[in-house]
Amino acid sequence: VERRVAERLRGALGPLGLEAHAFKVGWYNAVLQPAFHLPYPDDTLAFVVLSTPSMFDKALKPFVNKERLKIIRDPVDQCISHHLSRVKEKFPDQRVDVMFDYEMLPSRKPKFLAQTAAHVAGAAYYYQRKDVKHDPWGKKKIFGVCIHPKYGGWFAIRGLLLFPDIQVPFLEQPSPVDCVSTEEKRIELLEQFNFHWQDGRYRDIIEVKERYSEEQKAYFATPPAERFRLLGLSQ
């Protein structure tokens, strides 16, 4: 079942520059405190959806050209939500729940922890302070960051697709590729991500196959309110 669903998702999302990686809800819940658990049985099939560098040209621009007058909030969020809602139509006989990376619970907690989901699904390695044996940061708060084996930091985690009617007790958990494997590199990565994230150097911590175009970099570097202008939209 998982394979059929995965193939259908790849067919729908691949041409948009999106990737879907399967995981079991139980893998995710096992590594988090109960407050963050997804409210589904452990064997429930889920997918984490990532956008790759080509999403900008393959999905965002065509969406903006077509939906020009209907864009009222962040264009990327709206584009992703449009496409993931359409994916649901590919599974008419299944319940599909969608969660987006920007959604909050009433408690202001995110609906899901994106980086943890990407790590347990084997999509990208979530490097955290605990992955460094002798860290130099003392009392500073250090945030972790996911690195994709192909795109480094040039990608984003956009959402989850959950299939409550599909149980996959035998799904095997893949390990994410540990592509930043030395202590020095991990320190450099967390250092750049936490203290110099604006310059984006952390994204190139490994040799990448593809990165954002100059136009896309400019877009994401622009404050959200001004992005409408860049896309030639009035707000």
Side-chain angles (χ1 to χ4, degrees):
V1 195
E2 178 271 328
R3 213 164 265 151
R4 277 206 309 276
V5 174
E7 271 161 24
R8 212 179 288 180
L9 283 179
R10 261 195 293 280
L13 298 175
L16 301 166
L18 301 172
E19 285 183 355
H21 296 262
F23 69 97
K24 264 187 355 182
V25 164
W27 303 343
Y28 174 91
N29 287 350
V31 294
L32 292 170
Q33 297 145 335
F36 286 105
H37 285 186
L38 294 169
Y40 300 85
D42 278 355
D43 287 336
T44 306
L45 177 62
F47 289 83
V48 62
V49 177
L50 315 177
S51 61
T52 72
S54 66
M55 180 277 296
F56 193 78
D57 285 330
K58 288 180 177 167
L60 183 67
K61 284 180 169 172
F63 174 77
V64 166
N65 287 336
K66 207 163 122 254
E67 305 290 328
R68 195 150 281 272
L69 302 171
K70 298 195 202 117
I71 296 180
I72 46 173
R73 50 192 175 87
D74 184 85
V76 173
D77 289 351
Q78 213 172 317
C79 167
I80 301 282
S81 108
H82 165 83
H83 286 299
L84 293 190
S85 308
R86 287 193 48 194
V87 161
K88 287 171 81 156
E89 295 162 19
K90 300 240 184 295
F91 300 93
D93 43 355
Q94 297 290 353
R95 187 176 133 205
V96 186
D97 294 347
V98 185
M99 290 181 188
F100 297 103
D101 64 310
Y102 53 81
E103 289 184 294
M104 296 286 179
L105 294 165
S107 63
R108 306 297 305 143
K109 274 208 294 272
K111 272 201 172 169
F112 73 98
L113 299 180
Q115 310 212 83
T116 302
H119 187 94
V120 299
Y125 200 108
Y126 183 23
Y127 290 98
Q128 302 176 70
R129 188 172 192 158
K130 64 177 171 53
D131 295 308
V132 172
K133 286 191 188 60
H134 306 289
D135 82 48
W137 302 297
K139 290 211 162 46
K140 287 189 182 132
K141 180 141 179 63
I142 296 295
F143 293 95
V145 59
C146 269
I147 295 295
H148 189 289
K150 210 158 128 194
Y151 305 115
W154 301 101
F155 79 103
I157 303 158
R158 299 294 179 186
L160 296 186
L161 295 167
L162 297 121
F163 291 80
D165 305 332
I166 304 179
Q167 302 295 304
V168 284
F170 303 114
L171 194 61
E172 298 221 336
Q173 184 166 12
S175 298
V177 180
D178 179 6
C179 45
V180 186
S181 48
T182 69
E183 177 93 348
E184 300 76 56
K185 274 281 177 215
R186 289 176 180 187
I187 289 175
E188 185 186 335
L189 170 66
L190 292 173
E191 189 84 14
Q192 288 181 359
F193 178 69
N194 280 274
F195 308 117
H196 311 283
W197 61 269
Q198 289 93 334
D199 66 21
R201 275 181 314 169
Y202 78 89
R203 299 175 187 269
D204 284 313
I205 193 77
I206 59 167
E207 276 288 310
V208 298
K209 301 259 186 313
E210 204 185 326
R211 51 171 67 84
Y212 293 176
S213 62
E214 290 309 313
E215 179 188 17
Q216 184 169 186
K217 282 186 204 161
Y219 178 81
F220 286 116
T222 303
E226 291 158 38
R227 290 175 182 174
F228 286 85
R229 263 217 328 274
L230 268 191
L231 293 170
L233 299 171
S234 53
Q235 201 156 352

